[in-house]
Amino acid sequence: MVIRLFSVCLLLCWLAAPAVAAAPVAELDRPVVSLGDSLTLTIRVDGTGSEPPNLDPLKLSFRILGTSQSSRHSIVNGRVSSSTEWRTTLMPRREGTLHIPAIAVGSEFTLPLTVKVEPAATAAAGDNPVFMEAEINRDRVYVDAELILTARIYIDRAIELENLALQAPAFDDASIEQLSEANFDRQINGHRYRVYERRYGIYPHRPGELIIPELVFNALQPTRRRSLFDMPGQGTPLQRLSRQLSVQVMPPPAGFPGKVWLPARDLKLSQQWQGDDQGLKVGDSITRTLTLKAEGVLASQLPALPRPELDTARVYPTKPTLENTPGSQGMSASRTEQFTLLPTESGALSLPPVRIPWWDTEADRLRWAELPRTALQVAAGSATAPRDNTAVNAEPAVPVPAPADTGAPTPQPAPLVGNPWPWQALSGALLALWLITLGLWWRARRSASAGTADSSASARRSPAEAACYKILKAACETRQPAAAEQALQAWLRSYLQMPDAALGSLLQQLDNKALSTEAARLQQQLYGAVAGASDWQGRGLLTAVDGVRAQSRDQRGKPDTRALPALYPDRR
């Protein structure tokens, strides 16, 4: 009873525990401005009811033009979260690198920031209240490297326009992505302009001259209505064009060692482990996550990460995850790949080093992103890892080649169940049931009749076993393979009264070919790279489990000979 109450309390705490409040975050809309420009400082805190930030330290270097406050509320997975934002418009007082110190929000502080203030901007405004300009950050660029195009539309504060639209350029031999959009005030020749700025990343695919055509801005200058009976939305069309630009595209340098040409401003390679990398045993699984992060390149240009070839472990790769994050300074991209390792032998498991060559476009030189050789120690498990085709960790009889890397983002299969809440509930229930099973197992060991056939059948028909079966059934019927794998292990532990055993050892102890085959299909769905693996339905696994339970009911009156070797190893 005590164990059950503890399990319920632990589950409730896990479901209801609030997230730890994070420190306030300060952000600038642009890291580089001109003298006379305005910029926006945003300060964000979790929760509501916080004290407003103390902006007095800013007055030495900036003029504070105004501050607005807003709150946001959201519900994710049944949890309510809220945040508060303060947006402050600032005007730099001088040129140079200006520091925004840590801003106090109640008892917490933001991190300090810096902004570069360049000399006052000059533009060919003349007497024109509306004009446009375009510029590129360099006039020479490598193939597939990032070129940043900035377009600005200046509108005199005294002018009112409607239906503003900017037409982006299109290319046959280059990709283009919008990076950022901002609006601010700028003072030119004593006139105050509202400036609309948009930045694009251009990635040319062929060497030679790349022509950037004129950008087209269209708007409508409304006609003043003389009476209430005049139709709204009438006015004079207005159009402005930017000047045409040209850039020289260079081919990749001769002798670049990589199979994939990779020009970037920065690139980093990192790894993480999911699992116990210090207590790894034969039959256990551990997942290695490799992440390649780059600046100034698209995710589709990042190369595939090498799959390790190991003699003492099976390797199951997952489909890569590609992500692009645009920003005012350029595109940030990442490629993440996971490899699940299933050791088959004890001893040292050595993973070879990983080396990715890339070209530093800022320094114009070759660089390498590297991970050193990684060694894991694998201890002997409670049972030898199975090697036949019916074992849970076995690979398919016909090897399936990994999908070819085309450089384009791989479409991810749509999730079969969109709401993640059932998965969290199943995980919490598994935690509680594991504790209940542990208590029942401890109590069963103290029983003098634990070795009889009647007690064995009673244990297999225990409330813990029935509850674990219900969770496994729900995971199969809702087609959630990850939840089904954990539920299967929890049910087998309860059914066989082996609370600490791994899934492979449990299946070998049960020695049921149908269940081992279905478990192998389940793990192939989770760790394999087979096209169409998302078709896993769960019916086969549930049928195999039902067969094991039915067989147990038919043999209640028979001696359980499989338990004798474990209890009395000398009687053979």
Side-chain angles (χ1 to χ4, degrees):
M1 187 64 181
V2 175
I3 293 180
R4 291 184 180 181
L5 290 176
F6 174 76
S7 303
V8 172
C9 292
L10 187 62
L11 175 60
L12 291 176
C13 291
W14 175 79
L15 294 175
V20 178
V25 177
E27 296 176 341
L28 290 171
D29 62 338
R30 291 171 297 144
V32 180
V33 298
S34 298
L35 188 63
D37 288 2
S38 65
L39 70 155
T40 301
L41 171 67
T42 302
I43 298 178
R44 184 183 306 106
V45 298
D46 291 338
T48 57
S50 301
E51 299 180 16
N54 180 15
L55 302 178
D56 291 341
L58 298 174
K59 295 179 179 179
L60 182 63
S61 301
F62 301 90
R63 287 193 296 132
I64 300 176
L65 303 182
T67 299
S68 62
Q69 178 181 341
S70 62
S71 298
R72 296 182 181 180
H73 305 275
S74 62
I75 301 177
V76 180
N77 298 334
R79 295 185 179 182
V80 180
S81 62
S82 58
S83 62
T84 304
E85 280 189 358
W86 291 271
R87 295 172 62 87
T88 302
T89 304
L90 304 175
M91 183 78 72
R93 294 183 182 272
R94 61 181 183 274
E95 300 176 14
T97 300
L98 302 186
H99 297 275
I100 296 178
I103 303 297
V105 184
S107 59
E108 300 289 338
F109 288 85
T110 65
L111 294 177
L113 301 172
T114 60
V115 57
K116 184 180 179 182
V117 182
E118 297 179 340
T122 58
D127 296 328
N128 196 340
V130 181
F131 64 99
M132 184 179 179
E133 67 178 12
E135 62 183 22
I136 50 179
N137 65 331
R138 60 186 67 193
D139 54 9
R140 292 170 60 88
V141 66
Y142 281 107
V143 168
D144 293 331
E146 183 178 71
L147 175 71
I148 297 180
L149 168 66
T150 303
R152 298 186 187 94
I153 304 162
Y154 294 79
I155 304 175
D156 194 301
R157 275 293 191 176
I159 300 298
E160 181 183 355
L161 295 180
E162 297 178 352
N163 302 334
L164 282 68
L166 176 62
Q167 181 179 345
F171 304 93
D172 294 331
D173 299 326
S175 302
I176 183 170
E177 298 286 342
Q178 183 174 327
L179 299 175
S180 65
E181 191 171 49
N183 57 81
F184 52 91
D185 284 352
R186 174 171 289 181
Q187 187 170 353
I188 302 176
N189 299 331
H191 291 273
R192 177 67 58 187
Y193 289 88
R194 189 63 173 169
V195 183
Y196 296 87
E197 180 183 271
R198 186 175 291 179
R199 295 194 175 194
Y200 300 93
I202 301 175
Y203 309 88
H205 301 321
R206 290 185 181 179
E209 185 183 23
L210 176 67
I211 300 297
I212 301 175
E214 299 88 347
L215 280 73
V216 181
F217 168 70
N218 290 289
L220 184 69
Q221 187 169 4
T223 303
R224 184 180 299 275
R225 298 175 63 187
R226 292 173 294 181
S227 71
L228 294 176
F229 299 98
D230 291 342
M231 293 294 293
Q234 295 180 343
T236 304
L238 182 146
Q239 185 178 83
R240 296 290 184 268
L241 301 178
S242 68
R243 63 189 180 94
Q244 190 179 88
L245 301 172
S246 173
V247 62
Q248 187 66 31
V249 182
M250 302 176 292
F256 180 76
K259 295 181 180 179
V260 177
W261 165 241
L262 185 56
R265 292 192 308 273
D266 190 25
L267 189 137
K268 291 181 174 61
L269 177 63
S270 63
Q271 70 174 348
Q272 288 184 333
W273 294 95
Q274 289 83 42
D276 187 5
D277 57 342
Q278 301 297 323
L280 191 60
K281 298 179 181 179
V282 173
D284 293 346
S285 65
I286 188 170
T287 300
R288 184 193 199 190
T289 302
L290 297 180
T291 302
L292 196 62
K293 293 185 177 181
E295 301 289 339
V297 71
L298 296 175
S300 58
Q301 298 173 243
L302 298 177
L305 299 173
R307 170 181 173 173
E309 299 294 336
L310 305 174
D311 296 331
T312 59
R314 297 184 180 92
V315 181
Y316 295 94
T318 61
K319 293 183 179 179
T321 300
L322 306 179
E323 183 177 359
N324 287 318
T325 305
S328 60
Q329 298 302 295
M331 186 70 73
S332 298
S334 67
R335 181 186 181 107
T336 301
E337 297 190 39
Q338 289 186 331
F339 303 92
T340 298
L341 311 179
L342 301 176
T344 57
E345 298 179 10
S346 60
L349 180 61
S350 179
L351 283 76
V354 180
R355 303 186 75 217
I356 305 294
W358 63 284
W359 194 265
D360 186 341
T361 56
E362 296 296 315
D364 200 18
R365 57 166 294 185
L366 173 67
R367 295 190 186 275
W368 294 82
E370 301 181 80
L371 285 177
R373 181 178 298 275
T374 303
L376 301 175
Q377 289 298 322
V378 181
S382 57
T384 305
R387 288 182 174 274
D388 58 286
N389 286 336
T390 62
V392 62
N393 293 330
E395 295 176 319
V398 180
V400 181
D405 179 54
T406 62
T410 303
Q412 300 294 325
L416 295 174
V417 180
N419 187 2
W421 170 246
W423 158 245
Q424 291 187 354
L426 287 171
S427 300
L430 286 172
L431 173 64
L433 289 173
W434 180 83
L435 293 171
I436 294 172
T437 304
L438 184 62
L440 293 173
W441 173 78
W442 176 80
R443 187 173 62 182
R445 289 194 58 184
R446 300 184 61 185
S447 175
S449 59
T452 65
D454 289 340
S455 64
S456 176
S458 176
R460 292 175 182 175
R461 289 180 282 110
S462 66
E465 184 274 340
C468 289
Y469 170 76
K470 288 182 180 179
I471 295 177
L472 175 58
K473 182 179 179 182
C476 291
E477 289 178 345
T478 56
R479 297 180 294 174
Q480 299 188 65
E485 183 189 38
Q486 291 198 14
L488 176 62
Q489 179 170 290
W491 174 77
L492 283 170
R493 287 176 173 177
S494 176
Y495 181 82
L496 296 175
Q497 297 294 292
M498 299 172 64
D500 298 323
L503 182 57
S505 300
L506 291 166
L507 289 166
Q508 189 178 33
Q509 175 71 19
L510 187 62
D511 192 23
N512 184 284
K513 184 175 181 179
L515 185 58
S516 295
T517 301
E518 291 300 328
R521 292 175 180 170
L522 173 62
Q523 288 204 336
Q524 181 64 27
Q525 153 68 17
L526 291 171
Y527 309 120
V530 180
S534 58
D535 294 335
W536 185 84
Q537 300 294 321
R539 290 192 295 265
L541 177 61
L542 186 58
T543 300
V545 171
D546 289 340
V548 172
R549 299 181 90 228
Q551 184 180 8
S552 174
R553 288 193 295 269
D554 295 340
Q555 296 181 352
R556 286 177 188 172
K558 299 180 182 180
D560 190 0
T561 57
R562 288 175 303 182
L564 292 178
L567 294 174
Y568 310 104
D570 296 333
R571 298 185 183 181
R572 298 193 178 185

